[in-house]
Amino acid sequence: MIINGELPARFVWKDERCVGFLSINPMAAGHTLVVPREEVDHWIDLDPDLMGHLMEVSRKIGTALDLGFKPKKVGLMIAGLEVPHAHIHVIPMEGMHDLDADNANLAPDPNDLDAAADRVRAALRALEYPEVAGE
């Protein structure tokens, strides 16, 4: 529903095979989800070529998160219990606690989410990726 525009999202990446948008319950500022346009429930059922594309996009977004937020590391996680649609979490992290869903912000300030999305987009533009999504 998010991909089709039926629910609002802060998109940072759009291409023909996937999208990237900020999590509405971020584990850290800049926490981005990379989601295939094709509806596939479990990541192990993804076509290998699509999985490769998702990982490459995750790497590019991770590079932007590293540039824009300067974390110790950028983590990557595939959990898949939240919704029945495969997705990859790309998360700036200072420690392992930043990958713990129990620490997710369940009521983030919309202004903070907007600012984080702007930082991710600016970093993607600085890296010269044409797939950066508009505001």
Side-chain angles (χ1 to χ4, degrees):
M1 292 172 61
I2 292 172
I3 294 171
N4 294 332
E6 297 169 34
L7 292 174
R10 290 166 177 85
F11 286 93
V12 298
W13 182 279
K14 288 184 179 181
D15 69 30
E16 69 285 346
R17 302 185 76 190
C18 71
V19 297
F21 53 86
L22 264 58
S23 172
I24 59 169
N25 299 123
M27 291 187 248
H31 176 177
T32 302
L33 304 176
V34 177
V35 185
R37 290 182 181 274
E38 179 183 343
E39 289 188 43
V40 177
D41 178 21
H42 199 316
W43 71 271
I44 63 174
D45 295 325
L46 290 166
D47 173 85
D49 184 59
L50 179 55
M51 184 63 179
H53 180 74
L54 297 175
M55 292 304 291
E56 179 59 16
V57 170
S58 296
R59 186 190 66 76
K60 290 175 178 178
I61 289 173
T63 301
L65 294 176
D66 192 51
L67 177 66
F69 292 88
K70 307 283 190 235
K72 283 187 182 176
K73 294 281 183 172
V74 176
L76 187 125
M77 182 171 65
I78 302 172
L81 296 174
E82 312 86 27
V83 295
H85 193 130
H87 58 283
I88 299 171
H89 298 258
V90 188
I91 307 165
M93 51 187 280
E94 297 303 319
M96 290 302 294
H97 63 278
D98 289 321
L99 297 180
D100 185 345
D102 289 337
N103 294 327
N105 185 346
L106 302 180
D109 183 322
N111 294 320
D112 292 342
L113 292 174
D114 289 341
D118 288 343
R119 284 173 78 175
V120 176
R121 289 185 202 109
L124 288 166
R125 284 188 192 100
L127 293 165
E128 300 182 358
Y129 293 124
E131 298 88 352
V132 63
E135 289 81 329

